[in-house]
Amino acid sequence: MLQRIQSIWLLLAAALSALSFQFSFFSGNKLNTVTNTKEWIQFTAAQSTLTLLLSIVIAAASAVCIFMYKDRKRQLLIAIILVVTSLLNIFFYVNASRSFIEYTTDLTSLISIGIPITLVLASIGIYKDEQLVKSADRLR
């Protein structure tokens, strides 16, 4: 299970998704409507309900997907769905920045950008593993 490279990529994607709760994607000034003053906010996955939910789903599904090594077709399908979900999560991060007066993208945003990259690498590994099994079946 863990000797397969795609399991390492899936584990890394789950860890990166969990790290997105702690580290910010961007930070900037947001106008407080009650006091009419600027507030400095570091936007993490926990700041928005939608990004929080998507990050939890990505972390949990990546961890569960590691143990689906016997059903590679379903594992590949879930990995591809997770790639789309992580790209959607990044879209919601960028969309949330529009409510800020001024913002800067943090260096730790590479954590959230690394999630779809690791999931694509896991998908490639799963696909190659499936092709290897098919070629071994043809030889028998």
Side-chain angles (χ1 to χ4, degrees), residues 18-130:
L19 283 175
S20 69
F21 299 128
Q22 181 67 30
F23 296 108
S24 62
F25 189 81
F26 64 89
S27 53
N29 289 321
K30 190 172 185 177
L31 187 63
N32 188 345
T33 56
V34 177
T35 61
N36 221 11
T37 60
K38 292 181 185 179
E39 292 181 338
W40 183 260
I41 297 176
Q42 291 184 335
F43 194 85
T44 62
Q47 299 295 107
S48 170
T49 307
L50 195 55
T51 57
L52 176 67
L53 181 67
L54 287 176
S55 295
I56 290 172
V57 166
I58 292 168
S62 295
V64 168
C65 194
I66 294 171
F67 299 103
M68 299 179 71
Y69 59 91
K70 290 187 179 180
D71 191 3
R72 284 175 299 281
K73 289 181 182 178
R74 182 171 290 158
Q75 189 181 32
L76 181 61
L77 178 68
I78 290 173
I80 291 171
I81 290 171
L82 285 175
V83 169
V84 173
T85 307
S86 63
L87 290 174
L88 186 66
N89 197 17
I90 291 173
F91 171 76
F92 287 131
Y93 274 125
V94 172
N95 197 25
S97 69
R98 295 181 187 197
S99 65
F100 282 68
I101 298 170
E102 53 193 26
Y103 68 93
T104 58
T105 305
D106 294 338
L107 185 60
T108 53
S109 66
L110 293 175
I111 291 171
S112 295
I113 294 170
I115 296 170
I117 294 170
T118 56
L119 288 170
V120 165
L121 291 171
S123 298
I124 291 170
I126 295 166
Y127 179 75
K128 285 182 180 178
D129 199 24
E130 180 66 21

